[in-house]
Amino acid sequence: MDVMAKTSTTTQGLRAAIERSGYYPALVADAVEAAVGGEPIRSYLVHQETTFDQNEVRRHVTVLVLTGNRFIVSHTDEQAADTTSPTPYATTSTESVKLGRISSVVVSRVVANPEQYTPGTLPREVVLTIGWGAVSRIDLEPAACGDPNCDADHGYTGNSTADDLSLRVSEAGDGPETVRQALAFAQAISEATADFTR
């Protein structure tokens, strides 16, 4: 398959995945396509999450797109009518990150019955965490020395963690195909960022 045909197929696949999510597909697709522009799409992942907030059901969709040079993240949320709007509304945002800025890609897999695991078995759950330095979490705690009788002030100790995006998919909640897509996207972005570190 030539590159142009593959790109067209990938773009159609992304649009179909957005439409399958059923979550304001015209709005989501428009925002994502504007962010991607004319760049060929290498990989994508569409994930819808439903949460319960007191008496309300809220939906959120995340679309991740990998191009040859960029990682694009789109988030869309729906909001109930409030003091700023008399009608319900949706907010969609996109962020475009140069692949060279991505500092970490972490893939955590949860596997049932690990003693019976065979290569190729689908994990029960996958958590994909991608960091590029836009958001960092700092965990601090009082520092101490080894002397239990010491009452000196040793300042603080802690660590800083890049925590720009964390996405969890599960076989039970999202279905096996979404877990496969998450793993495929994780592999594609890991390989793409490795190209920039060589």
Side-chain angles (χ1 to χ4, degrees):
M1 181 184 291
D2 64 36
V3 174
M4 189 58 96
K6 184 175 190 306
T7 299
S8 175
T9 302
T10 304
T11 302
Q12 290 170 357
L14 172 58
R15 182 171 269 283
I18 290 171
E19 288 174 3
R20 265 193 314 277
S21 80
Y23 184 78
Y24 307 122
L27 173 65
V28 174
D30 191 45
V32 170
E33 287 169 6
V36 170
E39 282 190 75
I41 296 171
R42 292 170 64 174
S43 186
Y44 63 86
L45 176 63
V46 177
H47 180 253
Q48 183 181 325
E49 183 177 14
T50 303
T51 57
F52 298 94
D53 182 16
Q54 295 177 357
N55 295 331
E56 295 181 19
V57 176
R58 293 187 186 264
R59 296 181 299 166
H60 173 90
V61 69
T62 302
V63 180
L64 308 180
V65 179
L66 177 64
T67 71
N69 300 306
R70 297 182 299 146
F71 167 56
I72 297 163
V73 182
S74 174
H75 294 288
T76 304
D77 292 286
E78 63 183 356
Q79 306 292 330
D82 58 22
T83 56
T84 65
S85 175
T87 60
Y89 61 98
T91 304
T92 187
S93 63
T94 58
E95 182 173 3
S96 176
V97 181
K98 290 182 181 179
L99 286 178
R101 286 199 49 215
I102 294 177
S103 55
S104 67
V105 177
V106 180
V107 182
S108 300
R109 302 166 189 239
V110 176
V111 177
N113 303 313
E115 69 283 354
Q116 298 171 4
Y117 178 80
T118 57
T121 301
L122 205 58
R124 185 173 70 194
E125 180 179 309
V126 172
V127 179
L128 173 61
T129 305
I130 301 171
W132 58 91
V135 178
S136 293
R137 183 182 64 231
I138 298 176
D139 296 319
L140 294 176
E141 61 184 38
C145 66
D147 180 359
N149 297 319
C150 179
D151 59 0
D153 182 358
H154 294 286
Y156 289 88
T157 186
N159 55 44
S160 174
T161 308
D163 198 17
D164 296 302
L165 174 80
S166 189
L167 187 76
R168 176 188 170 270
V169 297
S170 69
E171 190 174 19
D174 304 294
E177 187 54 35
T178 303
V179 174
R180 273 190 207 87
Q181 290 172 352
L183 289 171
F185 186 85
Q187 182 174 349
I189 197 164
S190 292
E191 290 171 354
T193 56
D195 292 342
F196 282 86
T197 59
R198 290 182 186 148

